[in-house]
Amino acid sequence: MVWPLVSGTLRHCAGPQLQVLRYGVRTVASRDVGYEEISLDKFYRQVFHTVEKKWQTRWAAEREAMLKEKRPAKPHTSAKKKSYILAMFPYPSGRLHLGHVRVYAISHTLAAYKRLRGHDVIHPMGWDSFGLPAENAAIDRGIAPHEWTERNIEDMKEQLDKVGLHFNWERELATHRPEYYKWTQWLFLRLHEHGLAYQTKAFVNWDPVDQTVLANEQVDGEGRAWRSGAMAERRELRQWFLKISDYSQELYKGLGQLDWPANVRKMQKEWIGPSKGTVLKFRLEESAGDVDSVDIYTTMLRDVFGTSFVAVSRSHPLVRDHLHSLPEKNREKVREFCSALNAQPSEGIDTGLTAINPYTGHRLPVYVAGYVHEGYATEAIMGVPSQNNADNAFAEQYGVPVVVGEEDGKLVNAGEFTGLEFDSKDTNKALGRHAAGNGFGSPAAFSRLRDWLISRQRYWGTPIPMVHCSSCPEPVPVPDDHLPVVLPPDVQLEGRGGSPLSKLDDWVNVPCPKCGSPARRDTDTMDTFMDSSWYFLRFADPHNDKELILKESAMAPGTQSFLPVDTYIGGVEHAILHLLYARFIHRFANKIGLVESKEPFKQLVAQGIVKGKTYTSAETGHYLKPEELQFEDDVAIEKATGKQAIQDWDKMSKSKHNGVDPLEVMARYGADATRMYLLGNTDMLQPFKWDDGNIIFGFAKLVSRVWQLGQLYSDGQKAAAASGDHSSGDESRLSADDMKRVVELEETMRGSVEFVADSFDKLRTPAAIKKIFKTVDELMVAVAHPQVCTTATFRRSLDALVVMLYPLAPHLTEEVWQGTISDLSSVHLHAGGRACLPACLLACALLFSPFSLSSFLSFFLS
């Protein structure tokens, strides 16, 4: 069956003997008759969907057979170069979105390409499966979180199959399964042993009606609890923290050695932010209990002469521990402000206290201000309206007189320092010496990086393996041989009344592992970032039930660990928290001898988000649904007003009505075309603007043309065999013109292979796909010459095209490979192996003179 492209449509040729396709005008000359004109849409519905389904079914069967055999996840064989390709694992929501398809298409393409190069590749997949949505589903739908999660995992695996993605499923893991979170708990205990896990008080969001802790996403923009509708409050509870601040210096310095995008390294640098400055003591005119001063950290001592007020954070010890010592008329208002959940950064409250500027003796009001960072440095600032916009806005709002400390680049109103250069380092040094000499200041250094709060008062998370005993002064760790502390399966989730685990007496009440006295389990669970901070380690040794991973020193001769990850792929929105926590845990793993590398990810690909078109009303500014629009000459008109809607591009979301279901797109255009569009239209590091109209006019045509080439070559060979023409393909009998075309084809393919391989190495998939487009065009030209398209050169060129295209379009290349190149083999099974692909590469090597066979094989298989 042949499907040549004719003026934007396809013609179904009933017979096999298609002879000439004149490419320039896209017409067909043939001895056959009986054409059926068919649209590209119909081609996908009737032909290519069948092809994709065929290969997806076969791949799924192969995977299931492998998993039934329970083959072990092998370590890296040191004779080969390793490539550990990993895309950030997803939360199993039950539904893929286009962002998923793009990131996994990128990782699949890189993994497939590395296999073609002969690397020892792992490309694993797992599930970041703990989290609040499963708990909410249990409350709303009466489905146990475990059941809901496992069902979603199966649904998403089926959807990943429809995209044609290949993973090392024998390495699959899910963070909610006890065999995984046993080792999350083990890591926590090691952190606790090394003084890096501790408990202290911290503020949480509290629902006063349901009497439960709320996640940030459970509080709306007005500060109301999502379920009860009550105004949420801030409340202090004892929480578990990890002391990531101890690693701030090495995390900061380590960024310089990473092959990561500059913007990601910059974001992490700013988040960690080591800072050197001075701590000044501002004496209180009247002490608040035993507090007689406020310590203020500053990196700009020169600003002290323009200080108009002092501001502390809402968690500052002055208001957290000494509220009762504040002036009575201010006390209740301060309490309300500090406990209010919806307080704005620009808001504040007067404490009634007065501080004294140690340099000038000026009296300064002390405020609690929403914009003072909690947990950073001393949690107190000098308010300098003349130099700082936020301070100026605050002073205007609360009527604080502005003090001027600088004019024309010189200090003013500065006593003995008046007239010094405002921006001079010497001025700062002189002010520092004065503060130290008079006992009210000293040098200090702080990191912006705060310790990591991991406590969550929820059910669906990793239980914290600690026990609280009234006879023991400190929390007691659960012994390693008692791990995992398993979540109880039968729990009633109501969304109110505190932690669900705290109500399960049979689970909570246990003997103290240290002294045997009655004790209670810790009823907090861990932040899900803890689960995802080390999962990449477990993929290297996923079924080890004796230790988290096998240390390299204990590995068999000739084998090595796959760690660290060679290429890590995920959204730039994870540039700070997830990546920072993963770096912290990996460095800790290095300190305790688990891994030899200090950094978890050699190369980071932070792919841009997928954006969709948005339409907003010109009158109301509201986002418009598709059914609220009509299009006139590609102009969007709001039906209700008859006015042109405002078009823009934004991250896809339900609220903006610009989401696209990838399964619907693939149902229309096929998985291969959809994947190539996502990879070929924009550099992978840039935001991607989704416009599926471009698929049908570009990438779907490419798929159909490659399909054509395979069919045309195959049918040509069958026709020659049927006619008994054994001279077909004999290049020595070609005319001078046809021989010239063969030589040009050789040159084209040599340049194409080299360019595409270089583009894959540099992660430039748009460039690779553009080159493949041009290569297909050259082969389509060759098809117009019957003697050329039956030659061995054409065959080798088609082989090379399939090899180049395989990482991008697995269904198409499998079908063309099987139908044209090898009836018994599979690109998927043999890519990077030594069974089938080298034969294709050998043929290509002979084609690509002046490449030698050895250099070509080295080029692809090194």
Side-chain angles (χ1 to χ4, degrees):
M1 181 170 58
V2 182
W3 300 87
L5 185 66
V6 185
S7 303
T9 63
L10 296 162
R11 285 187 179 178
H12 172 200
C13 308
Q17 300 180 32
L18 181 72
Q19 296 299 308
V20 180
L21 173 64
R22 190 150 54 83
Y23 174 75
V25 295
R26 297 181 184 175
T27 60
V28 175
S30 173
R31 292 194 296 270
D32 287 335
V33 294
Y35 292 99
E36 172 196 351
E37 199 158 285
I38 179 171
S39 69
L40 202 54
D41 273 352
K42 192 173 182 181
F43 168 77
Y44 274 100
R45 287 196 306 272
Q46 294 188 355
V47 181
F48 213 74
H49 283 162
T50 304
V51 170
E52 291 191 346
K53 181 64 177 176
K54 163 190 167 182
W55 285 102
Q56 289 164 9
T57 302
R58 182 175 298 188
W59 295 331
E62 291 166 359
R63 180 185 70 214
E64 292 306 312
M66 178 204 57
L67 293 176
K68 283 182 180 179
E69 291 177 15
K70 296 184 178 179
R71 301 176 193 172
K74 297 179 180 179
H76 164 49
T77 303
S78 55
K80 290 184 177 183
K81 187 174 182 179
K82 83 171 181 78
S83 286
Y84 182 177
I85 311 296
L86 181 62
M88 294 180 185
F89 66 168
Y91 176 78
S93 63
R95 196 74 179 171
L96 286 180
H97 56 67
L98 277 172
H100 288 133
V101 177
R102 191 180 191 212
V103 69
Y104 300 130
I106 292 171
S107 67
H108 171 109
T109 297
L110 295 179
Y113 170 66
K114 294 297 184 181
R115 288 192 184 100
L116 288 174
R117 298 294 297 263
H119 292 196
D120 192 5
V121 178
I122 61 168
H123 179 222
M125 171 54 74
W127 310 96
D128 192 8
S129 46
F130 269 139
L132 192 59
E135 198 161 325
N136 292 341
I139 297 169
D140 295 338
R141 304 170 194 171
I143 302 174
H146 181 273
E147 179 185 346
W148 189 82
T149 300
E150 291 289 346
R151 184 188 304 173
N152 284 352
I153 287 174
E154 290 307 308
D155 288 346
M156 290 185 73
K157 285 172 77 171
E158 288 183 12
Q159 293 164 44
L160 290 171
D161 284 347
K162 291 179 180 178
V163 187
L165 298 165
H166 302 315
F167 297 102
N168 289 97
W169 286 109
E170 75 277 9
R171 296 176 184 268
E172 180 187 10
L173 56 81
T175 61
H176 76 284
R177 295 170 183 162
E179 61 267 27
Y180 180 87
Y181 68 71
K182 168 185 177 178
W183 299 107
T184 307
Q185 293 172 339
W186 182 91
L187 265 176
F188 175 89
L189 293 176
R190 302 292 80 76
L191 288 158
H192 185 264
E193 279 179 5
H194 287 76
L196 296 172
Y198 66 94
Q199 220 180 6
T200 191
K201 286 185 177 182
F203 284 101
V204 296
N205 307 325
W206 180 260
D207 184 331
V209 173
D210 285 346
Q211 295 289 295
T212 191
V213 174
L214 303 167
N216 288 334
E217 58 267 34
Q218 291 178 309
V219 181
D220 67 19
E222 296 180 353
R224 295 187 179 277
W226 72 304
R227 189 173 298 279
S228 71
M231 291 301 297
E233 301 173 353
R234 280 161 44 101
R235 180 169 293 192
E236 263 194 322
L237 296 178
R238 288 189 66 78
Q239 309 274 284
W240 284 100
F241 287 81
L242 299 184
K243 209 169 184 182
I244 190 174
S245 59
D246 276 11
Y247 279 66
S248 61
Q249 188 172 6
E250 62 179 279
L251 287 169
Y252 186 86
K253 289 182 177 178
L255 289 168
Q257 284 75 52
L258 293 178
D259 180 17
W260 287 17
N263 65 321
V264 174
R265 285 186 282 115
K266 181 181 178 183
M267 283 189 278
Q268 286 217 359
K269 281 185 176 181
E270 291 175 349
W271 189 265
I272 300 169
S275 173
K276 294 181 179 180
T278 304
V279 171
L280 298 175
K281 284 190 176 296
F282 281 63
R283 180 176 57 82
L284 292 176
E285 193 171 63
E286 294 183 7
S287 62
D290 57 359
V291 178
D292 58 7
S293 65
V294 176
D295 288 349
I296 294 178
Y297 173 70
T298 180
T299 59
M300 293 178 286
L301 283 171
R302 77 226 176 149
D303 285 346
V304 72
F305 300 107
T307 300
S308 302
F309 62 92
V310 167
V312 301
S313 75
R314 296 199 294 162
S315 62
H316 190 278
L318 186 65
V319 292
R320 185 186 65 205
D321 301 329
H322 300 279
L323 180 66
H324 61 280
S325 299
L326 298 183
E328 186 175 353
K329 66 176 182 178
N330 302 83
R331 198 177 302 159
E332 183 59 24
K333 290 182 179 179
V334 171
R335 188 198 67 78
E336 290 177 358
F337 178 72
C338 290
S339 63
L341 200 64
N342 61 339
Q344 299 301 308
S346 60
E347 294 179 337
I349 194 75
D350 191 350
T351 65
L353 299 174
T354 300
I356 306 300
N357 187 322
Y359 284 89
T360 66
H362 292 163
R363 301 172 72 251
L364 307 171
V366 179
Y367 285 84
V368 182
Y371 69 96
V372 180
H373 294 298
E374 298 179 25
Y376 175 61
T378 61
E379 297 191 49
I381 65 166
M382 304 183 299
V384 188
S386 59
Q387 299 295 330
N388 183 281
N389 290 335
D391 293 346
N392 186 56
F394 189 88
E396 287 184 358
Q397 183 171 346
Y398 293 99
V400 180
V402 175
V403 176
V404 177
E406 177 268 336
E407 286 181 357
D408 300 325
K410 305 284 187 181
L411 290 180
V412 296
N413 302 318
E416 64 186 276
F417 301 103
T418 297
L420 292 183
E421 294 288 338
F422 183 74
D423 287 325
S424 169
K425 290 182 180 179
D426 290 337
T427 299
N428 242 24
K429 290 178 181 179
L431 293 173
R433 287 193 298 269
H434 180 79
N438 287 275
F440 61 79
S442 58
F446 290 97
S447 169
R448 293 189 185 93
L449 185 61
R450 307 177 199 176
D451 284 345
W452 176 9
L453 192 161
I454 66 164
S455 284
R456 298 293 182 269
Q457 291 71 36
R458 299 198 291 269
Y459 166 73
W460 195 236
T462 297
I464 292 179
M466 301 295 286
V467 170
H468 300 275
C469 172
S470 58
S471 301
C472 296
E474 299 292 336
V476 179
V478 172
D480 287 357
D481 59 1
H482 290 190
L483 299 179
V485 177
V486 178
L487 279 174
D490 301 320
V491 59
Q492 295 296 317
L493 299 175
E494 301 172 346
R496 54 178 60 89
S499 169
L501 294 175
S502 65
K503 304 172 187 177
L504 304 176
D505 290 341
D506 290 344
W507 185 84
V508 171
N509 296 317
V510 292
C512 174
K514 186 175 182 180
C515 71
S517 299
R520 291 175 60 83
R521 292 191 190 278
D522 197 300
T523 58
D524 284 356
T525 54
M526 297 188 206
D527 177 13
T528 56
F529 276 122
M530 184 67 183
D531 305 310
S532 62
S533 69
W534 71 276
Y535 77 107
F536 49 89
L537 298 176
R538 189 63 176 172
F539 276 138
D541 193 9
H543 307 302
N544 191 334
D545 60 357
K546 300 292 191 297
E547 51 192 332
L548 188 146
I549 52 170
L550 182 64
K551 297 177 183 177
E552 284 205 49
S553 59
M555 288 186 171
T559 62
Q560 297 175 354
S561 172
F562 273 102
L563 297 168
V565 176
D566 292 288
T567 303
Y568 195 41
I569 306 146
V572 72
E573 65 270 22
H574 301 293
I576 297 177
L577 294 182
H578 164 60
L579 291 174
L580 191 61
Y581 296 151
R583 293 182 63 219
F584 164 54
I585 293 298
H586 193 86
R587 283 180 172 268
F588 173 71
N590 171 264
K591 289 277 178 69
I592 63 175
L594 275 182
V595 296
E596 295 186 0
S597 54
K598 289 187 176 181
E599 290 287 347
F601 315 119
K602 285 185 178 180
Q603 180 187 42
L604 177 68
V605 179
Q607 98 280 356
I609 61 173
V610 179
K611 294 184 176 183
K613 285 182 182 178
T614 60
Y615 298 94
T616 52
S617 170
E619 290 193 354
T620 67
H622 293 156
Y623 288 102
L624 299 171
K625 299 176 182 178
E627 58 268 25
E628 296 176 309
L629 296 165
Q630 62 185 27
F631 290 85
E632 300 174 3
D633 298 326
D634 292 332
V635 175
I637 305 298
E638 184 181 1
K639 292 178 181 178
T641 64
K643 294 183 178 180
Q644 182 175 341
I646 300 170
Q647 179 188 309
D648 202 354
W649 296 89
D650 209 337
K651 183 177 180 179
M652 290 185 176
S653 70
K654 291 181 181 178
S655 63
K656 295 169 185 171
H657 314 299
N658 66 339
V660 175
D661 185 344
L663 298 181
E664 291 181 3
V665 175
M666 290 187 293
R668 183 176 182 190
Y669 303 125
D672 284 348
T674 302
R675 286 168 48 155
M676 281 193 288
Y677 176 54
L678 284 165
L679 294 175
N681 206 43
T682 306
D683 181 272
M684 63 179 64
L685 301 182
Q686 300 302 316
F688 183 93
K689 294 182 178 180
W690 177 265
D691 182 0
D692 63 354
N694 288 331
I695 298 179
I696 194 67
F697 294 112
F699 297 92
K701 284 186 180 180
L702 176 66
V703 171
S704 70
R705 286 183 178 181
V706 176
W707 165 268
Q708 282 178 257
L709 288 168
Q711 291 291 318
L712 289 168
Y713 176 78
S714 178
D715 287 350
Q717 294 297 305
K718 291 175 183 176
S723 66
D725 181 5
H726 301 294
S727 66
S728 176
D730 185 351
E731 295 181 8
S732 66
R733 296 190 176 189
L734 292 178
S735 68
D737 286 344
D738 282 344
M739 193 62 207
K740 181 181 177 182
R741 294 183 183 102
V742 167
V743 172
E744 290 174 349
L745 186 58
E746 289 178 355
E747 293 290 331
T748 295
M749 296 308 299
R750 181 187 336 124
S752 295
V753 169
E754 184 174 358
F755 183 89
V756 169
D758 183 66
S759 296
F760 280 141
D761 280 330
K762 295 175 179 175
L763 306 178
R764 294 174 180 169
T765 52
I769 292 173
K770 185 177 180 180
K771 189 66 174 180
I772 290 171
F773 263 92
K774 292 181 178 179
T775 304
V776 170
D777 285 346
E778 293 293 332
L779 288 170
M780 293 294 287
V781 171
V783 169
H785 304 280
Q787 297 305 315
V788 174
C789 71
T790 58
T791 62
T793 296
F794 184 85
R795 158 66 185 264
R796 292 193 298 266
S797 299
L798 183 59
D799 292 356
L801 174 65
V802 171
V803 171
M804 288 189 292
L805 194 54
Y806 165 68
L808 299 160
H811 307 89
L812 170 68
T813 49
E814 288 281 27
E815 187 68 14
V816 175
W817 180 277
Q818 185 188 64
T820 305
I821 298 169
S822 172
D823 291 335
L824 301 176
S825 63
S826 162
V827 185
H828 165 54
L829 289 180
H830 299 289
R834 293 296 192 269
C836 171
L837 194 57
C840 172
L841 294 176
L842 171 60
C844 296
L846 296 175
L847 168 65
F848 297 140
S849 175
F851 275 51
S852 68
L853 170 60
S854 60
S855 66
F856 185 82
L857 289 176
S858 174
F859 180 75
F860 255 118
L861 299 178
S862 61

